[in-house]
Amino acid sequence: MLIIESSLVLLIPVLALLVPGACSWVFLPIEQKLANLARHRHLAVLLVGILSLGLRAGILPILPVPYPGLQDEFSYQLLADTFAHGRLTNPTHPLWVHFETIFVIHRPTYCSMYYPAQGLFLALGQLILGHPFWGVWLSTGIMCATICWMLQAWVPPLWALMGGLLATVRLGTFSYWANSYWGGAVTALGGALVLGALPRIKRRHRMRNALLMGVGFALLFGSRPYESALFSVPVIIAIATWMRSGTKEKRGQTLLHVVVPLAVIMTATAGFLMYYCWRTTGKALVPPYIVNLRTYAVDPNFAWLPLRAVPQYHHDVIRRHWLGWDIDQYQTVRAHPLISTAVKILMLWFFYLGPLLSVPFLALGFVLPYGMSLRDLGARTQFLLVVCAANLLAILLAVPINPHYAAPTTGAVYALIVIAMERIRRWNKKTKRTGIFVVRAVLTAALGLFLLRISIPVLHLPINNPAQPWTWCSPWNQLLPRAQVESRLRALPGEHLVIVHYSPEHDPREGWISNSADIDNSKIVWAHDMGPDLNKELFQYFSGRQIWMVYPDRDPIELSPYEALNSTGQINKQESQPTARLDNCAGRVGSNSVEREAAELRVENCCQGGSSTASLPCERSCQRITCLQERSWHLRGVIPCRRAIENGKECYLNVLRPTAGRKHWSARRKVARGVLLLLVAYSPRDSPAPYSRPTDRSPHHKYCGPHTPQ
């Protein structure tokens, strides 16, 4: 996708010089209708919001509700679940050391380390529509509508509508802001409210604009307080300068209608955040974020500060995160500050602009007069540049970097884009309306790329869309193996305790250990494997649960049962084959090609129902069967050893039904099923050979099995 977008960028100036008036008869009526719509400001804002929500809901068949992929997302889901239970935090679990994870604190209370604004939206989606994703969906739609509203205060109505539609296409559909739980939209919403209210306050001393600005500040400081603090400095200076320049009578009016409402909102926000910190950490001025860093982090988050002392870690995977990847990033920034600065700016450029939205700024080099400086720019452009520079300074001073760190300036970035387009549109080269063509080409290309991104999974187009670098349409990594294990266990009766055994090579950013707010009443509880001695107290505490062991770093992923405690209090690990082996089959043939499903083997005791006088107990486990990929059916689940045959000497293998829509087996498939049963029933009675990894694995996912039918 990035190569296609870059190719279009190279094609635009060529066509602008050769055929600047191409397709004008198509664009003129469309522009006229959009201009008429844009005059109705409230209707335009509502249209952008509904369009954003509708587009994201419309692509659910090809981009379903996402599953978390990073530790940060699981932490935000814990925050949402806590709020959904009607509380700000949770009591520390007596066995909390078994549930430790990277971005969660367990002492003095059990809660997420992150600030509450994003979690409130996720909790809203969980309470109203049953899943936190709908909170992401709602916040993204409101963000796009608010960007359009904000732009109406800075640019003419038509350009504000164009900016809102651009934000919908580039941020509200395929970006990770709309397809993960990591955040971005809530902070951008707050920044747009602040920047949209500022010009309106200067024009009219209305209390509602001050209240909207206060809500924007509340969202900013409730989501990303560090970046928001520097973002707010130019805004506060602009308000103070404007108040000082007015008359005494206007100052009194401004104090009553602007300063007082804004101060009330900000005081309430500060009070809530202090109360939240007091409930979660016991100190009103110490947020959970700081507690987490003091507990685990060695990196001070700023390159000029020395490293902290190494704390004591209970789990190797947590130690490797804070002493591995985190320290490597810190040392890179210290050793190569210029390179790290360039990398941060490049990362932000890929996400917010990319090749296509850089065209208006490149075209300004030909439009603006020679020798023009920043002082020659308009006051609105200068202020927006200062706001972006303040937020960029905050990002460059810190060690970590992600695109949503610059979310407060999203509205300012889109304002600068449409201002550049507005200036380019008036550019004529030798009486040819070249500027109009460039603007039309950028908007048309954005729409065309959006439609192309939809067509890739629908038409199975051979277009590579890598996850890195992060762009407006990069796919977001999801921890699908954990999702498949979770879905299998939820389908089983009873409650479950899953012990996760990491290998030394496990990626610490993949968070298998993540639990809900109410651990004891959860259907599935995830815990670290801390060895038989320490695991014993966990098993005794959750004595009524079915206990499992999962190996996330094996290929295929293995899910094994633990037997109950014996009379001596020791744990008997099952000696037979693992109870479940999961393969992730990406690229299934048929109508479900978009989905990634797994074939599951469930090995039970073959002697169930067998004769007690059997001379040869059925100790053999049924062979693992890989995920078959045929034209109309696959193994949705295999239940081997469902019952013993005769005296328990043989195993019985039952292959489940075909997929939905196929009620009966064809004759050919019946024959194939019979052959499969015979092969399993009359195979040697020795234990099955250990599974060997396939040599021809799918390149789409590291856990995928071969794509060819087995």
Side-chain angles (χ1 to χ4, degrees), residues 518-534:
D518 191 358
I519 296 179
D520 289 346
N521 294 321
S522 301
K523 183 177 178 63
I524 303 175
V525 175
W526 305 80
H528 288 277
D529 181 14
M530 301 183 68
D533 295 336
L534 294 178

PDB file of all heavy atoms in Angstrom, residues 518-534:
ATOM      1  N   ASP A 518     -12.364  -8.641  38.476  1.00  0.00           N
ATOM      2  CA  ASP A 518     -12.766  -9.574  39.533  1.00  0.00           C
ATOM      3  C   ASP A 518     -12.145 -10.932  39.225  1.00  0.00           C
ATOM      4  O   ASP A 518     -12.746 -11.769  38.543  1.00  0.00           O
ATOM      5  CB  ASP A 518     -14.288  -9.656  39.601  1.00  0.00           C
ATOM      6  CG  ASP A 518     -14.772 -10.400  40.832  1.00  0.00           C
ATOM      7  OD1 ASP A 518     -13.923 -10.881  41.603  1.00  0.00           O
ATOM      8  OD2 ASP A 518     -15.997 -10.498  41.015  1.00  0.00           O
ATOM      9  N   ILE A 519     -10.949 -11.166  39.707  1.00  0.00           N
ATOM     10  CA  ILE A 519     -10.210 -12.382  39.350  1.00  0.00           C
ATOM     11  C   ILE A 519     -10.913 -13.628  39.866  1.00  0.00           C
ATOM     12  O   ILE A 519     -11.078 -14.623  39.135  1.00  0.00           O
ATOM     13  CB  ILE A 519      -8.769 -12.304  39.883  1.00  0.00           C
ATOM     14  CG1 ILE A 519      -8.008 -11.154  39.214  1.00  0.00           C
ATOM     15  CG2 ILE A 519      -8.032 -13.615  39.658  1.00  0.00           C
ATOM     16  CD1 ILE A 519      -6.587 -10.983  39.699  1.00  0.00           C
ATOM     17  N   ASP A 520     -11.363 -13.617  41.106  1.00  0.00           N
ATOM     18  CA  ASP A 520     -11.927 -14.824  41.708  1.00  0.00           C
ATOM     19  C   ASP A 520     -13.197 -15.291  41.013  1.00  0.00           C
ATOM     20  O   ASP A 520     -13.488 -16.491  40.997  1.00  0.00           O
ATOM     21  CB  ASP A 520     -12.204 -14.587  43.191  1.00  0.00           C
ATOM     22  CG  ASP A 520     -10.923 -14.500  44.002  1.00  0.00           C
ATOM     23  OD1 ASP A 520      -9.863 -14.889  43.463  1.00  0.00           O
ATOM     24  OD2 ASP A 520     -10.967 -14.030  45.151  1.00  0.00           O
ATOM     25  N   ASN A 521     -13.965 -14.376  40.464  1.00  0.00           N
ATOM     26  CA  ASN A 521     -15.225 -14.738  39.818  1.00  0.00           C
ATOM     27  C   ASN A 521     -15.115 -14.816  38.301  1.00  0.00           C
ATOM     28  O   ASN A 521     -16.139 -14.896  37.618  1.00  0.00           O
ATOM     29  CB  ASN A 521     -16.319 -13.744  40.207  1.00  0.00           C
ATOM     30  CG  ASN A 521     -16.654 -13.810  41.684  1.00  0.00           C
ATOM     31  OD1 ASN A 521     -16.699 -14.890  42.270  1.00  0.00           O
ATOM     32  ND2 ASN A 521     -16.878 -12.662  42.304  1.00  0.00           N
ATOM     33  N   SER A 522     -13.913 -14.769  37.764  1.00  0.00           N
ATOM     34  CA  SER A 522     -13.731 -14.883  36.320  1.00  0.00           C
ATOM     35  C   SER A 522     -13.842 -16.342  35.903  1.00  0.00           C
ATOM     36  O   SER A 522     -13.437 -17.249  36.635  1.00  0.00           O
ATOM     37  CB  SER A 522     -12.364 -14.333  35.912  1.00  0.00           C
ATOM     38  OG  SER A 522     -12.238 -12.976  36.286  1.00  0.00           O
ATOM     39  N   LYS A 523     -14.361 -16.554  34.721  1.00  0.00           N
ATOM     40  CA  LYS A 523     -14.448 -17.919  34.197  1.00  0.00           C
ATOM     41  C   LYS A 523     -13.065 -18.482  33.914  1.00  0.00           C
ATOM     42  O   LYS A 523     -12.806 -19.667  34.117  1.00  0.00           O
ATOM     43  CB  LYS A 523     -15.299 -17.954  32.923  1.00  0.00           C
ATOM     44  CG  LYS A 523     -15.493 -19.359  32.350  1.00  0.00           C
ATOM     45  CD  LYS A 523     -16.396 -19.355  31.148  1.00  0.00           C
ATOM     46  CE  LYS A 523     -16.547 -20.764  30.557  1.00  0.00           C
ATOM     47  NZ  LYS A 523     -17.175 -21.714  31.495  1.00  0.00           N
ATOM     48  N   ILE A 524     -12.159 -17.634  33.423  1.00  0.00           N
ATOM     49  CA  ILE A 524     -10.796 -18.063  33.115  1.00  0.00           C
ATOM     50  C   ILE A 524      -9.838 -17.167  33.891  1.00  0.00           C
ATOM     51  O   ILE A 524      -9.934 -15.942  33.820  1.00  0.00           O
ATOM     52  CB  ILE A 524     -10.506 -17.977  31.608  1.00  0.00           C
ATOM     53  CG1 ILE A 524     -11.512 -18.811  30.810  1.00  0.00           C
ATOM     54  CG2 ILE A 524      -9.091 -18.444  31.302  1.00  0.00           C
ATOM     55  CD1 ILE A 524     -11.365 -18.679  29.311  1.00  0.00           C
ATOM     56  N   VAL A 525      -8.932 -17.769  34.619  1.00  0.00           N
ATOM     57  CA  VAL A 525      -7.892 -17.047  35.340  1.00  0.00           C
ATOM     58  C   VAL A 525      -6.549 -17.460  34.747  1.00  0.00           C
ATOM     59  O   VAL A 525      -6.259 -18.655  34.600  1.00  0.00           O
ATOM     60  CB  VAL A 525      -7.930 -17.355  36.850  1.00  0.00           C
ATOM     61  CG1 VAL A 525      -6.766 -16.683  37.564  1.00  0.00           C
ATOM     62  CG2 VAL A 525      -9.253 -16.885  37.450  1.00  0.00           C
ATOM     63  N   TRP A 526      -5.724 -16.469  34.401  1.00  0.00           N
ATOM     64  CA  TRP A 526      -4.413 -16.716  33.811  1.00  0.00           C
ATOM     65  C   TRP A 526      -3.345 -16.428  34.854  1.00  0.00           C
ATOM     66  O   TRP A 526      -3.395 -15.402  35.536  1.00  0.00           O
ATOM     67  CB  TRP A 526      -4.199 -15.829  32.587  1.00  0.00           C
ATOM     68  CG  TRP A 526      -5.272 -15.954  31.542  1.00  0.00           C
ATOM     69  CD1 TRP A 526      -6.495 -15.357  31.560  1.00  0.00           C
ATOM     70  CD2 TRP A 526      -5.211 -16.711  30.339  1.00  0.00           C
ATOM     71  NE1 TRP A 526      -7.207 -15.687  30.432  1.00  0.00           N
ATOM     72  CE2 TRP A 526      -6.441 -16.524  29.657  1.00  0.00           C
ATOM     73  CE3 TRP A 526      -4.236 -17.520  29.750  1.00  0.00           C
ATOM     74  CZ2 TRP A 526      -6.721 -17.126  28.440  1.00  0.00           C
ATOM     75  CZ3 TRP A 526      -4.517 -18.109  28.530  1.00  0.00           C
ATOM     76  CH2 TRP A 526      -5.730 -17.923  27.894  1.00  0.00           C
ATOM     77  N   ALA A 527      -2.354 -17.303  34.952  1.00  0.00           N
ATOM     78  CA  ALA A 527      -1.319 -17.147  35.972  1.00  0.00           C
ATOM     79  C   ALA A 527       0.019 -17.634  35.428  1.00  0.00           C
ATOM     80  O   ALA A 527       0.083 -18.435  34.490  1.00  0.00           O
ATOM     81  CB  ALA A 527      -1.689 -17.909  37.238  1.00  0.00           C
ATOM     82  N   HIS A 528       1.092 -17.134  36.048  1.00  0.00           N
ATOM     83  CA  HIS A 528       2.439 -17.552  35.680  1.00  0.00           C
ATOM     84  C   HIS A 528       2.722 -18.958  36.212  1.00  0.00           C
ATOM     85  O   HIS A 528       2.219 -19.358  37.269  1.00  0.00           O
ATOM     86  CB  HIS A 528       3.477 -16.589  36.266  1.00  0.00           C
ATOM     87  CG  HIS A 528       3.511 -15.257  35.608  1.00  0.00           C
ATOM     88  ND1 HIS A 528       4.205 -15.007  34.456  1.00  0.00           N
ATOM     89  CD2 HIS A 528       2.930 -14.075  35.956  1.00  0.00           C
ATOM     90  CE1 HIS A 528       4.069 -13.737  34.115  1.00  0.00           C
ATOM     91  NE2 HIS A 528       3.295 -13.150  35.010  1.00  0.00           N
ATOM     92  N   ASP A 529       3.548 -19.678  35.488  1.00  0.00           N
ATOM     93  CA  ASP A 529       4.074 -20.945  35.976  1.00  0.00           C
ATOM     94  C   ASP A 529       5.291 -20.639  36.846  1.00  0.00           C
ATOM     95  O   ASP A 529       6.352 -20.273  36.344  1.00  0.00           O
ATOM     96  CB  ASP A 529       4.453 -21.847  34.798  1.00  0.00           C
ATOM     97  CG  ASP A 529       4.981 -23.195  35.251  1.00  0.00           C
ATOM     98  OD1 ASP A 529       4.797 -23.527  36.440  1.00  0.00           O
ATOM     99  OD2 ASP A 529       5.587 -23.907  34.427  1.00  0.00           O
ATOM    100  N   MET A 530       5.141 -20.781  38.142  1.00  0.00           N
ATOM    101  CA  MET A 530       6.212 -20.461  39.084  1.00  0.00           C
ATOM    102  C   MET A 530       6.834 -21.708  39.705  1.00  0.00           C
ATOM    103  O   MET A 530       7.515 -21.622  40.731  1.00  0.00           O
ATOM    104  CB  MET A 530       5.683 -19.532  40.179  1.00  0.00           C
ATOM    105  CG  MET A 530       5.131 -18.224  39.654  1.00  0.00           C
ATOM    106  SD  MET A 530       4.588 -17.090  40.954  1.00  0.00           S
ATOM    107  CE  MET A 530       6.161 -16.673  41.707  1.00  0.00           C
ATOM    108  N   GLY A 531       6.598 -22.860  39.099  1.00  0.00           N
ATOM    109  CA  GLY A 531       7.151 -24.090  39.628  1.00  0.00           C
ATOM    110  C   GLY A 531       6.166 -24.820  40.513  1.00  0.00           C
ATOM    111  O   GLY A 531       5.213 -24.222  41.040  1.00  0.00           O
ATOM    112  N   PRO A 532       6.350 -26.131  40.693  1.00  0.00           N
ATOM    113  CA  PRO A 532       5.373 -26.935  41.452  1.00  0.00           C
ATOM    114  C   PRO A 532       5.148 -26.434  42.874  1.00  0.00           C
ATOM    115  O   PRO A 532       4.020 -26.423  43.359  1.00  0.00           O
ATOM    116  CB  PRO A 532       5.987 -28.338  41.431  1.00  0.00           C
ATOM    117  CG  PRO A 532       6.895 -28.345  40.248  1.00  0.00           C
ATOM    118  CD  PRO A 532       7.424 -26.950  40.124  1.00  0.00           C
ATOM    119  N   ASP A 533       6.208 -26.013  43.548  1.00  0.00           N
ATOM    120  CA  ASP A 533       6.050 -25.615  44.949  1.00  0.00           C
ATOM    121  C   ASP A 533       5.196 -24.366  45.092  1.00  0.00           C
ATOM    122  O   ASP A 533       4.300 -24.300  45.937  1.00  0.00           O
ATOM    123  CB  ASP A 533       7.422 -25.395  45.580  1.00  0.00           C
ATOM    124  CG  ASP A 533       8.230 -26.687  45.664  1.00  0.00           C
ATOM    125  OD1 ASP A 533       7.596 -27.763  45.673  1.00  0.00           O
ATOM    126  OD2 ASP A 533       9.471 -26.615  45.695  1.00  0.00           O
ATOM    127  N   LEU A 534       5.474 -23.342  44.273  1.00  0.00           N
ATOM    128  CA  LEU A 534       4.707 -22.101  44.362  1.00  0.00           C
ATOM    129  C   LEU A 534       3.345 -22.228  43.697  1.00  0.00           C
ATOM    130  O   LEU A 534       2.396 -21.535  44.085  1.00  0.00           O
ATOM    131  CB  LEU A 534       5.502 -20.951  43.732  1.00  0.00           C
ATOM    132  CG  LEU A 534       6.788 -20.563  44.461  1.00  0.00           C
ATOM    133  CD1 LEU A 534       7.510 -19.447  43.714  1.00  0.00           C
ATOM    134  CD2 LEU A 534       6.489 -20.129  45.893  1.00  0.00           C
TER     135      LEU A 534
END
